[in-house]
Amino acid sequence: MKITTAAAARARRDRDLASPHYKWIVLSNTTVGVLMATINASILLIALPDIFRGVGINPLAPGNTSLLLWLIMGYMVVTAVLVVSFGRLGDMFGRVKMYNAGFAIFTVFSILLSVTWMTGVPAVYWLITMRILQGVGGALLMANSNAIITDAFGVDQRGLALGLNQVAGIAGSFLGLIIGGLLGPVDWRLVFLVSVPVGIFGTVWAYLKLHDNGIRQPARLDWWGNVTFAAGLVAVLVGITYGIQPFGGHTMGWTNPWVLSALIGGTAVLAAFAAIELRVPDPMFELKLFRIRAFTAGNLASLLSAIGRGGLMFILIIWLQGIWLPRHGYDFASTPLWAGIYMLPLTAGFLVAGPVSGWISDRMGARLLATGGMVVAALSFWWLLLLPVNFQYWMFALALLVNGIGMGLFAAPNRAGIMNSLPPNRRGVGAGMSTTFQNSAMVLSIGIFFSLMVTGLARTLPATLSSGLTAHGISAADAGHVASLPPVSVLFASLLGYNPVQTLLGPAALSGLSPADAAYLTGRGFFPALISGPFAAGLAVAFGFAIAACLVAAVASALRGGKYAYPGPAAVTAGGLPTTPRDPAQGGHAQGGPAEGRQAPSGPSAGRLPLPGLTRAGLPPADFPPARRVPAVERRGRAGTTPGHAQPGAGPGRHAPGAAQPAEPRHRLD
């Protein structure tokens, strides 16, 4: 019975892999998974007021700010920490297995997030814990989806496929704003339950239809590397989280001894981690991958673009909710939803440019599009910087559209260039490393942009608040108390859609005013007009930083080199070198290569490649098989010889049906 069941499973697997539709099934499922994970990274931003009201707690009360931040950022921190480890596990035990587990874990904790029976602070602790555990599932999804797509698609279609997946992930972070704004007012539990039917469907679909067809890399778990990486990165990200909160008499906590200890200590532990990874036989974090120029340049550009993009979302939400929407007749309670709606041009730009740029990059390579995308993004930030605080919406929407187009032009080709540069048996860990940079940059950007905004507000906001309040009947003592509050309190009040003056002053101070003064101070005109000047100063600093980050990312992208692709599993021999491909210019196979059964070269001569079309991509074959530069005549590929595409059911890959298993693991790092 077991033999019959196993044979039926193998037959089903072979049938699925041979189907011309299989790769599109892979793309559809992984895109749904990444979209669900990224929507949940931002869905709370708009729904937080409804969630806190639902559990009966004021997030702006003293001591509750950290709860607010951890509910937002705990998910981001855990995904940033775990994606590399999960990518490595995918290389070792099967990427589809790890991916399927991620779908199931994410779904379970989405359910548990909605069933809390507690109220007050214990309920928030429950939500934070479940969000962190939900992030484990999100990390499994994000760590392996790109590697699964790279295994399924050839180099002539990989840019389009990865582009669609990448754009779905980025668009999800903005779609989450609208979904949270729509569901939160109905019932805060729906914010978490909305993922459950998608998660159940995706889990079953992935289990039935997805199959591992990539190379597995037998290795031992790098326990010391995992522990030091997690401890160091968590310490740094936690330090950033608490650094943007007030400390003592300071507007921010960067002088807090605990914050300094976390940042310095975390950096020291990460340095120890790097030393460990250079010495262990099977490292979790493949530092040798940074010898590949396309991989290093692509990840540096991705880090900088994510820093510019991540903080942008928070700044735009505060700009819309705290100033522009109230000045145009929207109540503070309705501004979170409308902020998400008014930011739709940004998502539209991603959705238009991402797939198109991925398709073009399959033919031209990543360098021109990715570099141009970062330049366009920098110009859009300059455009936003020039807008008045009380802008005309069509100009703001057009600037957002241009920014989305620029980021979309960059995202898909850059991810395709990174994945094409990776050896087939390092795609999981390489994708995890790339996602770590991107997710860590999101947390880092929040710290940077909030710090820059608070620095700009701290210069003029206290005096402006004090004079404006006293001019309308507030006592000097109450006005001084509000003016002395950290500017981050004003930002959080705007971010959450609270009426800032009413929240900060409290009912006692407002009760002593005339009805006219009380109505004016808590109305839609006073606070936006009061904060516009100080906010503009903060915007100038924040957007100036974003422009610089995008321009440096453009330079890094320009230095990535040409278009490279590694041969797929079917073209790799047990000796760690690719089977010599047919040279289109010569019309036949090169002589003396491993395809004829000869021993793969080793030692010093191993780096001398038999064809002019092959390049080391910055690494000797003793470490990885060489990448192959894709010439113009092969950009469309040919049936059966598509570079980088493992044909189902063929070749010596571990998962190929009927294939002989190599005696030694391939592509091992020595």
Side-chain angles (χ1 to χ4, degrees), residues 304-316:
L304 292 167
S305 71
I307 288 175
R309 184 180 67 250
L312 170 69
M313 184 164 58
F314 283 88
I315 299 302
L316 294 181

Side-chain angles (χ1 to χ4, degrees), residues 422-445:
L422 291 168
N425 65 331
R426 293 298 193 274
R427 284 172 182 162
V429 67
M433 292 165 68
S434 182
T435 306
T436 290
F437 287 119
Q438 195 164 7
N439 291 1
S440 299
M442 293 294 288
V443 180
L444 181 62
S445 68

Side-chain angles (χ1 to χ4, degrees), residues 86-100 144 148 212 214-217 654-655:
F86 289 158
R88 181 63 166 162
L89 290 174
D91 285 340
M92 294 165 59
F93 301 112
R95 293 156 190 158
V96 170
K97 286 183 180 179
M98 298 295 111
Y99 177 84
N100 292 352
N144 292 283
I148 293 171
D212 275 307
I215 294 178
R216 293 188 192 176
Q217 178 64 57
R654 176 168 178 171
H655 300 286

